[in-house]
Amino acid sequence: MTDRYAVFGNPIGHSKSPRIHAMFAAQTGQDISYEAILVDKDSFPAAVDAFIAGGEGPARGANVTVPFKEEAFRLATRRTARAEAAGAVNTLSFDAGAITGDNTDGAGLVRDLKNNLGCDPAGRRILLLGAGGAARGVILPLLLEGPAELVIANRTEETAARLALEFARLPGCAIGVKPDGLGFPGLAGRQFDLVINATSAGLSGTALPLPACVFAPRCIAYEMVYGRETPFMSQARGAGARVADGLGMLVEQAAEAFFIWRGVRPRTAPVLAALAKVP
Ligand code: ATR
């Protein structure tokens, strides 16, 4: 019997996850199926139940994407520490009635930075733009890498300040630096080695009011959105930064989920190359 997996979201039509997991499975010789499931906005728990109950082989797990990550967090019967910190779940594992929720987004970002871009966050001055779900998901994994500093800057300053305080107070973590939360004007005169855009401004083609000085010499500018040149990317390029988009993070978070489910770590470079060639 083939073990079954799926990704739940809305919209889901353009999801690359089925292709990515099919490539991982072929590469590692794992017998799995993986489908994309479009879910109505108010029927996420029912859709998960139906997936677990139906089908030929056993349902082993699922990925969860926009807008259901917070609902997946609530649905999970147990959660990993990184899912707790993120307040959202993108990976579910089903086992004997239990639903374990994990969040592989932050690990995906860190692996993309370290393994694909040669950018170890350790000792770097990091600027994280945005204070919504996408930003929250990567804060703990970044802090655990031991950056020199982590500044969270957001259009709404208060949200950044609140988020920074929450992580500064996180109990039981070996975190060296405490994040700071600012509004964009607070970035005047500041410099960073790694600038990560976790706002959704790129999706609407909006530029962020960033002073050019934030991009230090040899800075890496990381846009979490992929598949388009956002104003942030153009801005960073103009300031001399090396620019990356979020395709690597997408593939790496998928690899981390595949590892959780199958106990095998797929090679991501060939998958990333295949996706970059055929968008
Ligand atoms: P996500 O889950 O993608 O993070 P979200 O929780 O709605 O989505 O958060 C969106 C983030 O992008 C927020 O940090 C938001 O800033 P505010 O907290 O001020 O709303 C940021 N954002 C969205 N559009 C923006 C824009 N045009 N300029 C600057 N920041 C923007």
Side-chain angles (χ1 to χ4, degrees):
M1 295 281 258
T2 300
D3 288 347
R4 291 184 301 118
Y5 297 87
V7 57
F8 295 90
N10 186 341
I12 201 66
H14 292 99
S15 172
K16 295 184 191 299
S17 295
R19 262 178 75 203
I20 294 173
H21 283 280
M23 285 190 263
F24 288 165
Q27 185 202 108
T28 57
Q30 295 281 309
D31 179 22
I32 66 160
S33 68
Y34 189 109
E35 62 187 301
I37 298 178
L38 176 68
V39 181
D40 282 344
K41 294 273 156 67
D42 54 359
S43 48
F44 176 71
V48 173
D49 280 351
F51 179 70
I52 292 173
E56 295 267 296
R60 298 288 190 205
N63 286 131
V64 181
T65 186
V66 178
F68 300 116
K69 291 184 187 184
E70 284 81 14
E71 224 176 321
F73 179 91
R74 293 192 291 274
L75 187 76
T77 54
R78 54 183 181 218
R79 293 183 285 260
T80 62
R82 60 191 183 181
E84 290 287 352
V89 156
N90 77 336
T91 303
L92 297 169
S93 301
F94 310 129
D95 186 27
I99 301 180
T100 304
D102 201 343
N103 192 312
T104 65
D105 286 331
L109 170 66
V110 168
R111 288 189 82 88
D112 191 32
L113 286 168
K114 287 168 86 164
N115 300 359
N116 305 331
L117 300 168
C119 172
D120 192 334
R124 297 206 188 225
R125 297 166 293 175
I126 304 179
L127 171 60
L128 180 63
L129 302 167
R136 173 183 285 273
V138 301
I139 295 173
L140 181 60
L142 285 172
L143 286 172
L144 292 173
E145 292 299 312
E149 63 176 317
L150 177 67
V151 171
I152 304 166
N154 194 45
R155 176 175 59 183
T156 311
E157 178 173 0
E158 192 195 337
T159 320
R162 212 179 317 123
L163 193 59
L165 194 63
E166 191 184 316
F167 278 87
R169 288 178 176 159
L170 205 66
C173 277
I175 295 171
V177 295
K178 305 223 175 288
D180 254 342
L182 307 174
F184 293 131
L187 295 173
R190 306 284 298 264
Q191 273 209 328
F192 299 89
D193 310 303
L194 173 59
V195 181
I196 301 166
N197 186 16
T199 74
S200 52
L203 296 174
S204 58
T206 315
L208 299 170
L210 296 177
C213 68
V214 296
F215 302 99
R218 290 176 299 285
C219 174
I220 299 227
Y222 195 101
E223 169 64 87
M224 279 199 198
V225 169
Y226 62 85
R228 65 174 88 186
E229 175 81 7
T230 65
F232 168 76
M233 293 164 82
S234 316
Q235 232 168 330
R237 243 185 268 286
R242 214 176 113 207
V243 175
D245 76 1
L247 188 65
M249 177 175 170
L250 176 78
V251 173
E252 296 294 344
Q253 64 77 31
E256 189 74 15
F258 192 89
F259 176 68
I260 290 166
W261 293 329
R262 311 303 300 179
V264 197
R265 199 170 273 290
R267 281 178 304 114
T268 51
V271 175
L272 200 43
L275 290 178
K277 250 180 253 150
V278 190

